[in-house]
Amino acid sequence: MINNTSSLESNIRNTALIFEGGGMRASYSAGLLTNLLEDQLYFDYVAGISAGASCSANYLSRDIDRAKRSFVDVVQDPHFGGWRSFLSGEGYFRAEYIYEKTPQPGGTLPFDYQTFAGNPAKLRIGAFQMDTGKMVYFSKTDIETPQDLMKIVRASSSLPIFMPPAHFRGKLYVDGGLSGGIALDIAQQDGFERFFVMLTRPRGYRKSPMKYSRLVKALYRKSPQVAEAMMNRHHHYNRTLDQLEALEADGKAFLVYPDTMPISQKEKSYEKLLASYSMGYAQGKRDLPAWKAFLEKE
């Protein structure tokens, strides 16, 4: 049952909120997310990978403005990235700046860590650990400072090839999307049987096998676990979508597919990102009654 509240208490229990990754496609998710916050739909469990990790952190900080700015306005920052920063070794997206500098007080995207930390909802963020070749799902128990949170979000979001690996507590991590990019597995392990999932591809999409396997093997010859995960990612991703659709058919999942996806994961046009956000927002406003009907049944 949903009970609107202005406090930090959650009002949706027994249903896991999951944000898919997808780079700048999450501008669409940010529009959808805005509807959750505007209508005070506060889940007590949220999980995200890659761009979904940023959505999860913004959601728990309940910062509507930052949810949008993180995937739209950010590209107007001259330090955001591009091919020049990629060739310099900083990454196509300048990860250290984006994830560790902009959220600080006085930064261009200050993060409300106090509200985040005071929010009782549980959090899971997935990142791929390079030396073990396994997914690691961080929780709030791993977060002691704002810097810890931002390093974890960066670890989850460090796209192989396009961004350097992220360091956290002596380990190297790359994008958690290598596991598939949808944190259904950890939500199930944590005991959930109902799921509300915000996806970044239209219904019916399935991922194709990687085309450049030889190049990937060469680039990651010292980290064969990363290369193997990249080449097998489509299997994990498609299997997770099959599981979600089976759960949906059984009434145990609500899958929020974008009506359309007008941009790629590396989009840098402010106008296109704003349009993507606006489409997501309009879709969320239209579909809010259906969302509530599902959530009321928990």
Side-chain angles (χ1 to χ4, degrees):
M1 188 69 178
I2 303 169
N3 296 305
N4 284 347
T5 175
S6 59
S7 74
L8 285 176
E9 291 300 316
S10 303
N11 54 19
I12 301 173
R13 298 176 174 80
N14 301 321
T15 299
L17 172 61
I18 300 173
F19 287 103
E20 182 184 3
M24 302 309 287
R25 289 195 297 269
S27 56
Y28 201 104
S29 302
L32 295 166
L33 185 164
T34 297
N35 284 278
L36 293 178
L37 294 179
E38 284 184 346
D39 218 67
Q40 298 183 21
L41 299 180
Y42 300 142
F43 291 75
D44 66 353
Y45 179 100
V46 58
I49 293 173
S50 193
S54 293
C55 288
S56 298
N58 288 330
Y59 174 77
L60 291 183
S61 75
R62 299 192 180 175
D63 191 334
I64 293 174
D65 183 56
R66 193 178 196 277
K68 170 184 173 288
R69 294 178 63 212
S70 294
F71 290 101
V72 179
D73 302 66
V74 68
V75 297
Q76 295 184 311
D77 189 325
H79 304 294
F80 176 70
W83 290 114
R84 182 176 296 179
S85 62
F86 173 78
L87 293 173
S88 73
E90 296 179 276
Y92 184 82
F93 301 113
R94 293 184 64 210
E96 182 179 4
Y97 174 75
I98 294 169
Y99 295 104
E100 299 188 42
K101 303 298 183 183
T102 66
Q104 295 180 8
T108 56
L109 284 171
F111 182 78
D112 185 354
Y113 183 76
Q114 183 175 357
T115 299
F116 167 86
N119 192 322
K122 295 181 179 179
L123 170 70
R124 287 290 202 168
I125 292 177
F128 188 89
Q129 195 172 85
M130 292 182 69
D131 62 344
T132 64
K134 296 181 179 179
M135 279 291 290
V136 174
Y137 280 101
F138 298 99
S139 69
K140 281 189 173 180
T141 60
D142 299 299
I143 301 168
E144 299 176 1
T145 66
Q147 290 72 29
D148 287 341
L149 172 62
M150 296 310 161
K151 286 181 180 292
I152 289 170
V153 173
R154 176 183 174 182
S156 181
S157 308
S158 295
L159 288 168
I161 302 176
F162 291 98
M163 297 163 76
H167 296 258
F168 184 65
R169 294 179 181 167
K171 298 291 184 179
L172 281 174
Y173 296 89
V174 289
D175 197 297
L178 268 65
S179 71
I182 306 172
L184 174 64
D185 55 346
I186 191 62
Q188 290 176 320
Q189 289 177 37
D190 287 341
F192 284 86
E193 297 181 353
R194 285 171 53 85
F195 311 93
F196 189 88
V197 188
M198 291 198 166
L199 299 156
T200 57
R201 296 282 197 177
R203 184 180 289 274
Y205 172 82
R206 290 296 186 272
K207 193 174 292 296
S208 301
M210 175 170 284
K211 296 179 181 180
Y212 307 106
S213 57
R214 290 185 180 179
L215 175 61
V216 168
K217 288 180 179 179
L219 289 172
Y220 288 98
R221 59 186 179 279
K222 295 183 179 179
S223 301
Q225 300 95 330
V226 175
E228 182 180 1
M230 290 177 70
M231 289 184 289
N232 289 322
R233 183 187 176 194
H234 64 289
H235 293 303
H236 298 301
Y237 182 83
N238 295 341
R239 183 167 57 246
T240 300
L241 283 179
D242 290 343
Q243 292 173 334
L244 284 172
E245 290 179 0
L247 287 165
E248 180 187 45
D250 201 28
K252 295 182 178 179
F254 194 104
L255 308 183
V256 183
Y257 289 100
D259 288 339
T260 183
M261 180 44 62
I263 59 170
S264 73
Q265 68 176 162
K266 293 186 284 295
E267 182 60 64
K268 287 186 61 189
S269 165
Y270 171 81
E271 290 75 18
K272 291 180 180 179
L273 290 165
L274 179 59
S276 174
Y277 171 86
S278 299
M279 290 178 193
Y281 182 78
Q283 179 181 332
K285 191 63 65 182
R286 180 197 72 201
D287 294 346
L288 196 59
W291 296 2
K292 289 183 175 181
F294 173 80
L295 296 170
E296 290 282 0
K297 295 177 182 179
E298 70 167 9

